[in-house]
Amino acid sequence: MEIELNFLKGKVDEQEKYIKMLMQKSYSSKKLLEIAKNEWKYRLTINGKDVPKNEVVEVNTSNLEIVLSETQSAYPMLPIEIYNKGALKNYQEHIKIMAPKSIKYDINAASGTIVDSIQYQFKNLKKGTKVQIKITDELKQRLNLKSNMIVINVN
């Protein structure tokens, strides 16, 4: 039984190498980079909800949680050196929180097998508080947003 399992595992590895080789020969480096980028997903949520297309968020609570997550494919089909080029370098540096200096917040990071995230947690915000999130052009593109600035109004 163990010999059969090892044999099948070897066959799968061979087929995977063959598919990767075919992809490298069949696609341009530009197309491979495009495929690699699609293997990495980014999500920006505010209190658990995706940022709306108008990039303005109204919250009716004094607590605020902003999460940027990066999810990679569980089973990448590209050679690792090409696959890794699809990720944003230091994704957590593609976001900047802009809040009044008097407002303090906690920053936490979480890391899993295929999902990593950075969380910004605000507590006891007063009504009328405005928090802005500035993102890079690269992250804006990955999130499919129109603007580099997201506005959060606390009501």
Side-chain angles (χ1 to χ4, degrees):
M1 184 73 153
E2 188 175 325
I3 293 172
E4 285 181 36
L5 183 61
N6 287 336
F7 174 77
L8 291 173
K9 203 174 191 183
K11 283 292 191 190
V12 168
D13 288 345
E14 284 177 25
Q15 288 178 352
E16 187 176 297
K17 286 177 187 173
Y18 179 71
I19 290 168
K20 288 178 180 180
M21 187 243 349
L22 276 178
M23 287 183 78
Q24 283 183 287
K25 288 185 175 190
S26 301
Y27 295 110
S28 68
S29 56
K30 185 178 178 182
K31 182 65 177 174
L32 287 170
L33 180 58
E34 184 182 319
I35 293 168
K37 284 181 177 180
N38 285 326
E39 294 285 295
W40 297 82
K41 304 296 181 200
Y42 295 87
R43 186 174 180 206
L44 181 62
T45 60
I46 297 159
N47 288 353
K49 296 181 181 174
D50 291 322
V51 173
K53 292 296 177 198
N54 69 357
E55 288 122 4
V56 176
V57 179
E58 305 288 334
V59 294
N60 296 314
T61 178
S62 63
N63 295 332
L64 179 63
E65 181 181 60
I66 300 166
V67 178
L68 175 61
S69 62
E70 173 187 73
T71 304
Q72 58 181 294
S73 173
Y75 304 102
M77 287 305 299
L78 294 169
I80 198 71
E81 65 276 1
I82 296 171
Y83 171 75
N84 284 337
K85 289 179 183 177
L88 289 177
K89 300 290 183 234
N90 299 317
Y91 76 95
Q92 63 276 22
E93 294 177 11
H94 288 260
I95 184 172
K96 182 178 180 184
I97 304 298
M98 301 168 64
K101 291 182 184 197
S102 61
I103 296 177
K104 304 293 181 218
Y105 55 91
D106 294 323
I107 303 173
N108 299 300
S111 185
T113 305
I114 60 170
V115 179
D116 295 325
S117 66
I118 186 160
Q119 301 106 18
Y120 302 88
Q121 297 176 327
F122 297 78
K123 293 186 179 178
N124 303 316
L125 293 174
K126 295 178 182 170
K127 286 184 180 184
T129 300
K130 182 186 215 176
V131 176
Q132 294 180 311
I133 304 169
K134 186 175 183 180
I135 58 174
T136 63
D137 286 335
E138 259 187 304
L139 182 57
K140 176 182 79 171
Q141 181 183 14
R142 298 289 185 100
L143 294 172
N144 199 24
L145 295 173
K146 295 177 186 166
S147 173
N148 294 75
M149 192 68 70
I150 294 118
V151 178
I152 304 166
N153 296 312
V154 178
N155 297 322

